[in-house]
mmCIF file of all heavy atoms in Angstrom:
data_model
loop_
_atom_site.group_PDB
_atom_site.id
_atom_site.type_symbol
_atom_site.label_atom_id
_atom_site.label_comp_id
_atom_site.label_asym_id
_atom_site.label_seq_id
_atom_site.Cartn_x
_atom_site.Cartn_y
_atom_site.Cartn_z
ATOM 1 N N MET A 1 125.532 118.654 75.570
ATOM 2 C CA MET A 1 126.129 118.805 74.216
ATOM 3 C C MET A 1 125.042 118.576 73.123
ATOM 4 O O MET A 1 125.325 118.821 71.974
ATOM 5 C CB MET A 1 127.252 117.776 74.054
ATOM 6 C CG MET A 1 128.524 118.196 74.913
ATOM 7 S SD MET A 1 129.900 117.030 74.501
ATOM 8 C CE MET A 1 130.168 117.393 72.872
ATOM 9 N N GLY A 2 123.920 117.900 73.467
ATOM 10 C CA GLY A 2 122.997 117.600 72.475
ATOM 11 C C GLY A 2 123.173 116.326 71.808
ATOM 12 O O GLY A 2 123.848 115.423 72.371
ATOM 13 N N ALA A 3 122.637 116.148 70.584
ATOM 14 C CA ALA A 3 122.703 114.836 69.883
ATOM 15 C C ALA A 3 123.981 114.778 69.153
ATOM 16 O O ALA A 3 124.083 115.159 67.937
ATOM 17 C CB ALA A 3 121.603 114.781 68.939
ATOM 18 N N LEU A 56 117.176 100.115 81.873
ATOM 19 C CA LEU A 56 116.787 101.355 81.220
ATOM 20 C C LEU A 56 115.210 101.260 81.110
ATOM 21 O O LEU A 56 114.612 102.140 80.372
ATOM 22 C CB LEU A 56 117.310 101.435 79.781
ATOM 23 C CG LEU A 56 118.817 101.448 79.737
ATOM 24 C CD1 LEU A 56 119.285 101.581 78.235
ATOM 25 C CD2 LEU A 56 119.411 102.584 80.512
ATOM 26 N N PRO A 68 108.278 101.599 80.537
ATOM 27 C CA PRO A 68 108.155 102.907 81.252
ATOM 28 C C PRO A 68 109.596 103.201 81.872
ATOM 29 O O PRO A 68 110.482 102.382 82.002
ATOM 30 C CB PRO A 68 107.189 102.556 82.496
ATOM 31 C CG PRO A 68 107.368 101.037 82.609
ATOM 32 C CD PRO A 68 107.600 100.579 81.172
ATOM 33 N N LEU A 69 109.890 104.468 82.222
ATOM 34 C CA LEU A 69 111.139 104.805 82.802
ATOM 35 C C LEU A 69 111.289 104.197 84.218
ATOM 36 O O LEU A 69 110.391 103.994 85.030
ATOM 37 C CB LEU A 69 111.208 106.337 82.951
ATOM 38 C CG LEU A 69 111.283 107.138 81.669
ATOM 39 C CD1 LEU A 69 111.377 108.631 81.895
ATOM 40 C CD2 LEU A 69 112.419 106.695 80.689
ATOM 41 N N PRO A 70 112.449 103.780 84.559
ATOM 42 C CA PRO A 70 112.682 103.199 85.874
ATOM 43 C C PRO A 70 112.608 104.254 87.041
ATOM 44 O O PRO A 70 112.698 105.475 86.701
ATOM 45 C CB PRO A 70 114.134 102.701 85.849
ATOM 46 C CG PRO A 70 114.804 103.464 84.808
ATOM 47 C CD PRO A 70 113.731 103.885 83.798
ATOM 48 N N ASP A 71 112.476 103.852 88.162
ATOM 49 C CA ASP A 71 112.530 104.733 89.335
ATOM 50 C C ASP A 71 113.938 105.422 89.286
ATOM 51 O O ASP A 71 114.942 104.799 89.048
ATOM 52 C CB ASP A 71 112.445 103.976 90.637
ATOM 53 C CG ASP A 71 112.546 104.834 91.849
ATOM 54 O OD1 ASP A 71 111.484 105.363 92.273
ATOM 55 O OD2 ASP A 71 113.636 104.984 92.434
ATOM 56 N N PRO A 72 113.997 106.783 89.490
ATOM 57 C CA PRO A 72 115.290 107.433 89.402
ATOM 58 C C PRO A 72 116.389 106.889 90.254
ATOM 59 O O PRO A 72 117.544 106.830 89.830
ATOM 60 C CB PRO A 72 114.855 108.908 89.849
ATOM 61 C CG PRO A 72 113.450 109.005 89.454
ATOM 62 C CD PRO A 72 112.932 107.710 89.731
ATOM 63 N N PHE A 75 117.822 103.897 88.475
ATOM 64 C CA PHE A 75 118.664 104.134 87.425
ATOM 65 C C PHE A 75 119.992 104.746 87.890
ATOM 66 O O PHE A 75 120.999 104.383 87.327
ATOM 67 C CB PHE A 75 117.886 105.269 86.578
ATOM 68 C CG PHE A 75 118.669 105.763 85.336
ATOM 69 C CD1 PHE A 75 119.227 104.726 84.511
ATOM 70 C CD2 PHE A 75 118.690 107.024 85.006
ATOM 71 C CE1 PHE A 75 119.846 105.200 83.328
ATOM 72 C CE2 PHE A 75 119.367 107.453 83.888
ATOM 73 C CZ PHE A 75 120.025 106.426 83.033
ATOM 74 N N GLU A 76 119.984 105.548 88.847
ATOM 75 C CA GLU A 76 121.308 106.036 89.433
ATOM 76 C C GLU A 76 122.195 104.827 89.905
ATOM 77 O O GLU A 76 123.329 104.824 89.717
ATOM 78 C CB GLU A 76 121.054 107.005 90.546
ATOM 79 C CG GLU A 76 122.302 107.588 91.091
ATOM 80 C CD GLU A 76 121.985 108.617 92.088
ATOM 81 O OE1 GLU A 76 121.846 108.225 93.338
ATOM 82 O OE2 GLU A 76 121.957 109.832 91.841
ATOM 83 N N LEU A 84 130.072 104.749 86.381
ATOM 84 C CA LEU A 84 129.975 106.191 85.896
ATOM 85 C C LEU A 84 130.169 107.115 86.993
ATOM 86 O O LEU A 84 129.538 106.939 88.207
ATOM 87 C CB LEU A 84 128.637 106.406 85.328
ATOM 88 C CG LEU A 84 128.330 107.735 84.554
ATOM 89 C CD1 LEU A 84 129.268 107.924 83.399
ATOM 90 C CD2 LEU A 84 126.810 107.752 84.005
ATOM 91 N N VAL A 90 130.449 109.839 78.056
ATOM 92 C CA VAL A 90 129.921 108.441 77.882
ATOM 93 C C VAL A 90 129.741 108.254 76.372
ATOM 94 O O VAL A 90 129.290 109.221 75.733
ATOM 95 C CB VAL A 90 128.522 108.325 78.550
ATOM 96 C CG1 VAL A 90 127.946 106.887 78.376
ATOM 97 C CG2 VAL A 90 128.621 108.581 80.047
ATOM 98 N N ALA A 101 120.920 102.047 71.963
ATOM 99 C CA ALA A 101 121.821 103.203 72.185
ATOM 100 C C ALA A 101 121.177 104.510 72.450
ATOM 101 O O ALA A 101 121.542 105.351 73.396
ATOM 102 C CB ALA A 101 122.988 103.319 71.231
ATOM 103 N N ALA A 102 120.193 104.858 71.634
ATOM 104 C CA ALA A 102 119.477 106.082 71.699
ATOM 105 C C ALA A 102 118.668 106.163 72.995
ATOM 106 O O ALA A 102 118.479 107.235 73.722
ATOM 107 C CB ALA A 102 118.567 106.300 70.481
ATOM 108 N N ARG A 103 118.105 105.034 73.464
ATOM 109 C CA ARG A 103 117.412 105.013 74.785
ATOM 110 C C ARG A 103 118.311 105.386 75.915
ATOM 111 O O ARG A 103 118.001 106.165 76.725
ATOM 112 C CB ARG A 103 116.783 103.629 75.029
ATOM 113 C CG ARG A 103 116.194 103.424 76.383
ATOM 114 C CD ARG A 103 114.874 104.076 76.574
ATOM 115 N NE ARG A 103 114.198 103.615 77.832
ATOM 116 C CZ ARG A 103 112.943 103.616 77.964
ATOM 117 N NH1 ARG A 103 112.107 104.036 77.078
ATOM 118 N NH2 ARG A 103 112.410 103.156 79.088
ATOM 119 N N ALA A 104 119.505 104.808 75.870
ATOM 120 C CA ALA A 104 120.536 105.133 76.834
ATOM 121 C C ALA A 104 120.914 106.618 76.783
ATOM 122 O O ALA A 104 121.029 107.291 77.839
ATOM 123 C CB ALA A 104 121.671 104.239 76.787
ATOM 124 N N TRP A 105 121.088 107.107 75.463
ATOM 125 C CA TRP A 105 121.519 108.490 75.362
ATOM 126 C C TRP A 105 120.462 109.415 75.899
ATOM 127 O O TRP A 105 120.797 110.329 76.620
ATOM 128 C CB TRP A 105 121.703 108.832 73.871
ATOM 129 C CG TRP A 105 121.729 110.245 73.503
ATOM 130 C CD1 TRP A 105 122.701 111.132 73.634
ATOM 131 C CD2 TRP A 105 120.565 111.014 73.155
ATOM 132 N NE1 TRP A 105 122.370 112.302 73.247
ATOM 133 C CE2 TRP A 105 121.073 112.317 72.980
ATOM 134 C CE3 TRP A 105 119.277 110.743 72.853
ATOM 135 C CZ2 TRP A 105 120.209 113.400 72.615
ATOM 136 C CZ3 TRP A 105 118.401 111.784 72.544
ATOM 137 C CH2 TRP A 105 118.927 113.054 72.343
ATOM 138 N N TRP A 106 119.229 109.089 75.621
ATOM 139 C CA TRP A 106 118.039 109.965 76.069
ATOM 140 C C TRP A 106 117.999 109.980 77.536
ATOM 141 O O TRP A 106 117.919 111.074 78.163
ATOM 142 C CB TRP A 106 116.753 109.510 75.483
ATOM 143 C CG TRP A 106 115.684 110.419 75.767
ATOM 144 C CD1 TRP A 106 115.182 111.538 74.939
ATOM 145 C CD2 TRP A 106 114.812 110.573 76.998
ATOM 146 N NE1 TRP A 106 114.179 112.196 75.591
ATOM 147 C CE2 TRP A 106 113.994 111.592 76.787
ATOM 148 C CE3 TRP A 106 114.843 109.764 78.161
ATOM 149 C CZ2 TRP A 106 113.082 112.045 77.828
ATOM 150 C CZ3 TRP A 106 113.844 110.122 79.119
ATOM 151 C CH2 TRP A 106 112.994 111.185 78.930
ATOM 152 N N MET A 107 118.101 108.840 78.170
ATOM 153 C CA MET A 107 118.009 108.800 79.658
ATOM 154 C C MET A 107 119.162 109.416 80.332
ATOM 155 O O MET A 107 118.857 110.130 81.402
ATOM 156 C CB MET A 107 117.778 107.395 80.151
ATOM 157 C CG MET A 107 116.472 106.694 79.714
ATOM 158 S SD MET A 107 116.260 104.994 80.331
ATOM 159 C CE MET A 107 116.457 105.183 82.034
ATOM 160 N N LEU A 108 120.264 109.276 79.938
ATOM 161 C CA LEU A 108 121.561 109.910 80.454
ATOM 162 C C LEU A 108 121.517 111.321 80.277
ATOM 163 O O LEU A 108 121.797 112.165 81.256
ATOM 164 C CB LEU A 108 122.818 109.277 80.000
ATOM 165 C CG LEU A 108 123.003 107.830 80.475
ATOM 166 C CD1 LEU A 108 124.195 107.162 79.716
ATOM 167 C CD2 LEU A 108 123.449 107.895 81.995
ATOM 168 N N THR A 109 121.156 111.839 79.073
ATOM 169 C CA THR A 109 121.043 113.208 78.893
ATOM 170 C C THR A 109 119.881 113.803 79.717
ATOM 171 O O THR A 109 120.208 114.990 80.319
ATOM 172 C CB THR A 109 120.779 113.566 77.395
ATOM 173 O OG1 THR A 109 121.911 112.889 76.556
ATOM 174 C CG2 THR A 109 120.722 115.002 77.121
ATOM 175 N N ASP A 110 118.803 113.178 79.751
ATOM 176 C CA ASP A 110 117.734 113.683 80.629
ATOM 177 C C ASP A 110 118.136 113.743 82.100
ATOM 178 O O ASP A 110 117.687 114.698 82.786
ATOM 179 C CB ASP A 110 116.495 112.734 80.474
ATOM 180 C CG ASP A 110 115.389 113.275 81.343
ATOM 181 O OD1 ASP A 110 114.696 114.269 81.091
ATOM 182 O OD2 ASP A 110 115.057 112.446 82.351
ATOM 183 N N ALA A 111 119.018 112.901 82.437
ATOM 184 C CA ALA A 111 119.457 112.877 83.837
ATOM 185 C C ALA A 111 120.553 113.836 84.188
ATOM 186 O O ALA A 111 121.095 113.769 85.257
ATOM 187 C CB ALA A 111 119.873 111.392 84.312
ATOM 188 N N GLY A 112 120.965 114.646 83.178
ATOM 189 C CA GLY A 112 122.007 115.588 83.459
ATOM 190 C C GLY A 112 123.476 115.245 83.085
ATOM 191 O O GLY A 112 124.363 116.047 83.308
ATOM 192 N N VAL A 113 123.614 114.125 82.503
ATOM 193 C CA VAL A 113 125.027 113.808 82.083
ATOM 194 C C VAL A 113 125.299 114.688 80.786
ATOM 195 O O VAL A 113 124.612 114.567 79.768
ATOM 196 C CB VAL A 113 125.191 112.354 81.772
ATOM 197 C CG1 VAL A 113 126.646 112.022 81.188
ATOM 198 C CG2 VAL A 113 124.816 111.494 82.951
ATOM 199 N N ALA A 114 126.288 115.516 80.830
ATOM 200 C CA ALA A 114 126.643 116.501 79.800
ATOM 201 C C ALA A 114 127.119 115.947 78.510
ATOM 202 O O ALA A 114 126.931 116.537 77.474
ATOM 203 C CB ALA A 114 127.504 117.652 80.450
ATOM 204 N N ASP A 115 127.896 114.919 78.510
ATOM 205 C CA ASP A 115 128.595 114.468 77.312
ATOM 206 C C ASP A 115 128.343 113.037 77.073
ATOM 207 O O ASP A 115 128.938 112.118 77.481
ATOM 208 C CB ASP A 115 130.144 114.719 77.509
ATOM 209 C CG ASP A 115 130.962 114.442 76.230
ATOM 210 O OD1 ASP A 115 130.331 113.952 75.281
ATOM 211 O OD2 ASP A 115 132.164 114.614 76.279
ATOM 212 N N VAL A 116 127.217 112.803 76.263
ATOM 213 C CA VAL A 116 126.900 111.497 75.899
ATOM 214 C C VAL A 116 126.710 111.414 74.419
ATOM 215 O O VAL A 116 126.066 112.192 73.815
ATOM 216 C CB VAL A 116 125.545 111.075 76.485
ATOM 217 C CG1 VAL A 116 125.148 109.592 76.223
ATOM 218 C CG2 VAL A 116 125.320 111.374 77.969
ATOM 219 N N VAL A 145 128.366 108.465 90.412
ATOM 220 C CA VAL A 145 127.555 109.634 89.722
ATOM 221 C C VAL A 145 126.293 109.961 90.420
ATOM 222 O O VAL A 145 125.661 109.041 91.070
ATOM 223 C CB VAL A 145 127.281 109.121 88.292
ATOM 224 C CG1 VAL A 145 126.253 108.000 88.270
ATOM 225 C CG2 VAL A 145 126.801 110.363 87.380
ATOM 226 N N THR A 146 125.912 111.203 90.347
ATOM 227 C CA THR A 146 124.584 111.645 90.847
ATOM 228 C C THR A 146 123.735 112.050 89.653
ATOM 229 O O THR A 146 124.196 112.890 88.881
ATOM 230 C CB THR A 146 124.757 112.749 91.813
ATOM 231 O OG1 THR A 146 125.497 113.851 91.247
ATOM 232 C CG2 THR A 146 125.388 112.385 93.091
ATOM 233 N N LEU A 147 122.517 111.562 89.488
ATOM 234 C CA LEU A 147 121.677 111.763 88.341
ATOM 235 C C LEU A 147 120.484 112.548 88.802
ATOM 236 O O LEU A 147 119.907 112.340 89.885
ATOM 237 C CB LEU A 147 121.201 110.475 87.670
ATOM 238 C CG LEU A 147 122.391 109.591 87.094
ATOM 239 C CD1 LEU A 147 121.822 108.359 86.529
ATOM 240 C CD2 LEU A 147 123.215 110.391 86.113
ATOM 241 N N HIS A 148 120.021 113.491 87.887
ATOM 242 C CA HIS A 148 118.842 114.274 88.260
ATOM 243 C C HIS A 148 117.965 114.338 87.045
ATOM 244 O O HIS A 148 118.014 115.298 86.140
ATOM 245 C CB HIS A 148 119.348 115.768 88.552
ATOM 246 C CG HIS A 148 120.262 115.776 89.782
ATOM 247 N ND1 HIS A 148 119.939 115.566 91.076
ATOM 248 C CD2 HIS A 148 121.643 115.852 89.800
ATOM 249 C CE1 HIS A 148 120.951 115.653 91.819
ATOM 250 N NE2 HIS A 148 121.973 115.842 91.086
ATOM 251 N N PRO A 149 117.086 113.318 86.814
ATOM 252 C CA PRO A 149 116.282 113.262 85.597
ATOM 253 C C PRO A 149 115.334 114.550 85.618
ATOM 254 O O PRO A 149 114.923 115.120 86.435
ATOM 255 C CB PRO A 149 115.443 112.100 85.865
ATOM 256 C CG PRO A 149 116.269 111.125 86.692
ATOM 257 C CD PRO A 149 116.984 112.124 87.614
ATOM 258 N N GLY A 150 114.941 114.905 84.246
ATOM 259 C CA GLY A 150 114.006 115.955 84.084
ATOM 260 C C GLY A 150 114.569 117.102 83.102
ATOM 261 O O GLY A 150 114.009 118.092 83.075
ATOM 262 N N HIS A 151 115.755 116.852 82.505
ATOM 263 C CA HIS A 151 116.301 117.847 81.584
ATOM 264 C C HIS A 151 115.723 117.949 80.231
ATOM 265 O O HIS A 151 115.901 118.884 79.516
ATOM 266 C CB HIS A 151 117.779 117.671 81.625
ATOM 267 C CG HIS A 151 118.567 117.981 82.840
ATOM 268 N ND1 HIS A 151 118.490 117.184 83.907
ATOM 269 C CD2 HIS A 151 119.334 119.024 83.196
ATOM 270 C CE1 HIS A 151 119.290 117.722 84.858
ATOM 271 N NE2 HIS A 151 119.693 118.885 84.411
ATOM 272 N N LEU A 152 115.057 116.843 79.799
ATOM 273 C CA LEU A 152 114.450 116.807 78.497
ATOM 274 C C LEU A 152 112.921 116.801 78.484
ATOM 275 O O LEU A 152 112.372 116.205 79.474
ATOM 276 C CB LEU A 152 115.032 115.512 77.787
ATOM 277 C CG LEU A 152 116.500 115.544 77.414
ATOM 278 C CD1 LEU A 152 116.849 114.151 76.746
ATOM 279 C CD2 LEU A 152 116.860 116.640 76.537
ATOM 280 N N PRO A 153 112.240 117.371 77.572
ATOM 281 C CA PRO A 153 110.798 117.475 77.605
ATOM 282 C C PRO A 153 110.151 116.103 77.360
ATOM 283 O O PRO A 153 110.706 115.281 76.554
ATOM 284 C CB PRO A 153 110.532 118.350 76.445
ATOM 285 C CG PRO A 153 111.689 118.254 75.571
ATOM 286 C CD PRO A 153 112.818 118.096 76.401
ATOM 287 N N GLN A 154 109.138 115.855 78.090
ATOM 288 C CA GLN A 154 108.283 114.621 77.960
ATOM 289 C C GLN A 154 106.828 114.937 77.808
ATOM 290 O O GLN A 154 106.377 116.064 78.204
ATOM 291 C CB GLN A 154 108.476 113.720 79.197
ATOM 292 C CG GLN A 154 109.819 113.072 79.411
ATOM 293 C CD GLN A 154 109.889 112.277 80.711
ATOM 294 O OE1 GLN A 154 108.915 111.449 80.866
ATOM 295 N NE2 GLN A 154 110.908 112.370 81.547
ATOM 296 N N LEU A 155 106.083 113.983 77.358
ATOM 297 C CA LEU A 155 104.542 113.962 77.263
ATOM 298 C C LEU A 155 103.973 112.987 78.038
ATOM 299 O O LEU A 155 104.413 111.847 78.075
ATOM 300 C CB LEU A 155 104.179 113.987 75.808
ATOM 301 C CG LEU A 155 104.641 115.040 74.792
ATOM 302 C CD1 LEU A 155 104.248 114.560 73.324
ATOM 303 C CD2 LEU A 155 104.130 116.339 75.137
ATOM 304 N N ALA A 240 113.017 107.592 71.208
ATOM 305 C CA ALA A 240 114.232 108.207 71.769
ATOM 306 C C ALA A 240 115.173 108.389 70.526
ATOM 307 O O ALA A 240 115.949 109.369 70.468
ATOM 308 C CB ALA A 240 114.826 107.420 72.837
ATOM 309 N N VAL A 243 114.074 111.285 68.765
ATOM 310 C CA VAL A 243 114.427 112.579 69.388
ATOM 311 C C VAL A 243 115.903 112.851 69.059
ATOM 312 O O VAL A 243 116.233 114.091 68.749
ATOM 313 C CB VAL A 243 114.345 112.412 70.954
ATOM 314 C CG1 VAL A 243 114.926 113.596 71.650
ATOM 315 C CG2 VAL A 243 112.818 112.264 71.370
ATOM 316 N N PHE A 244 116.804 111.925 69.056
ATOM 317 C CA PHE A 244 118.169 112.166 68.682
ATOM 318 C C PHE A 244 118.165 112.736 67.301
ATOM 319 O O PHE A 244 118.962 113.744 67.044
ATOM 320 C CB PHE A 244 118.936 110.860 68.702
ATOM 321 C CG PHE A 244 120.446 111.012 68.474
ATOM 322 C CD1 PHE A 244 121.340 111.265 69.610
ATOM 323 C CD2 PHE A 244 120.978 110.880 67.261
ATOM 324 C CE1 PHE A 244 122.696 111.461 69.442
ATOM 325 C CE2 PHE A 244 122.350 111.047 66.981
ATOM 326 C CZ PHE A 244 123.207 111.293 68.217
ATOM 327 N N GLN A 247 116.756 116.306 67.107
ATOM 328 C CA GLN A 247 117.635 117.290 67.696
ATOM 329 C C GLN A 247 118.741 117.687 66.658
ATOM 330 O O GLN A 247 119.179 118.826 66.483
ATOM 331 C CB GLN A 247 118.249 116.762 68.953
ATOM 332 C CG GLN A 247 117.390 116.895 70.198
ATOM 333 C CD GLN A 247 118.126 116.772 71.528
ATOM 334 O OE1 GLN A 247 119.401 116.856 71.541
ATOM 335 N NE2 GLN A 247 117.452 116.614 72.641
ATOM 336 N N ASP A 252 113.496 120.470 69.110
ATOM 337 C CA ASP A 252 113.612 120.015 70.571
ATOM 338 C C ASP A 252 112.348 119.274 70.910
ATOM 339 O O ASP A 252 111.527 119.762 71.614
ATOM 340 C CB ASP A 252 113.807 121.240 71.458
ATOM 341 C CG ASP A 252 114.049 120.809 72.889
ATOM 342 O OD1 ASP A 252 114.589 119.702 73.163
ATOM 343 O OD2 ASP A 252 113.819 121.631 73.745
ATOM 344 N N PRO A 253 112.168 118.058 70.393
ATOM 345 C CA PRO A 253 110.900 117.316 70.512
ATOM 346 C C PRO A 253 110.775 116.685 71.975
ATOM 347 O O PRO A 253 111.752 116.340 72.605
ATOM 348 C CB PRO A 253 111.008 116.145 69.513
ATOM 349 C CG PRO A 253 112.526 115.938 69.383
ATOM 350 C CD PRO A 253 113.139 117.306 69.578
ATOM 351 N N ALA A 254 109.611 116.592 72.341
ATOM 352 C CA ALA A 254 109.295 115.971 73.570
ATOM 353 C C ALA A 254 108.966 114.429 73.328
ATOM 354 O O ALA A 254 108.394 114.089 72.258
ATOM 355 C CB ALA A 254 107.963 116.555 74.169
ATOM 356 N N LEU A 255 109.335 113.665 74.270
ATOM 357 C CA LEU A 255 109.207 112.190 74.056
ATOM 358 C C LEU A 255 107.979 111.831 74.944
ATOM 359 O O LEU A 255 107.877 111.984 76.165
ATOM 360 C CB LEU A 255 110.542 111.510 74.656
ATOM 361 C CG LEU A 255 110.387 109.946 74.760
ATOM 362 C CD1 LEU A 255 110.220 109.326 73.366
ATOM 363 C CD2 LEU A 255 111.572 109.432 75.526
ATOM 364 N N TYR A 256 106.966 110.996 74.186
ATOM 365 C CA TYR A 256 105.935 110.392 74.921
ATOM 366 C C TYR A 256 106.374 109.000 75.292
ATOM 367 O O TYR A 256 106.416 107.965 74.401
ATOM 368 C CB TYR A 256 104.708 110.312 74.026
ATOM 369 C CG TYR A 256 103.497 109.486 74.573
ATOM 370 C CD1 TYR A 256 103.408 109.238 75.917
ATOM 371 C CD2 TYR A 256 102.656 108.897 73.678
ATOM 372 C CE1 TYR A 256 102.339 108.521 76.411
ATOM 373 C CE2 TYR A 256 101.579 108.167 74.148
ATOM 374 C CZ TYR A 256 101.426 107.935 75.537
ATOM 375 O OH TYR A 256 100.396 107.150 75.992
ATOM 376 N N VAL A 257 107.004 108.796 76.498
ATOM 377 C CA VAL A 257 107.572 107.528 76.899
ATOM 378 C C VAL A 257 106.589 106.350 76.807
ATOM 379 O O VAL A 257 107.055 105.383 76.316
ATOM 380 C CB VAL A 257 108.199 107.646 78.391
ATOM 381 C CG1 VAL A 257 108.732 106.361 78.725
ATOM 382 C CG2 VAL A 257 109.228 108.873 78.421
#
Side-chain angles (χ1 to χ4, degrees):
M1 292 185 65
L56 300 181
L69 295 178
D71 180 88
F75 182 46
E76 183 178 82
L84 192 59
V90 182
R103 172 75 169 207
W105 165 83
W106 189 92
M107 289 182 60
L108 287 167
T109 302
D110 177 68
V113 180
D115 187 356
V116 188
V145 70
T146 51
L147 300 180
H148 304 283
H151 289 74
L152 294 178
Q154 294 183 44
L155 297 173
V243 171
F244 186 89
Q247 281 199 12
D252 186 25
L255 174 66
Y256 172 27
V257 177

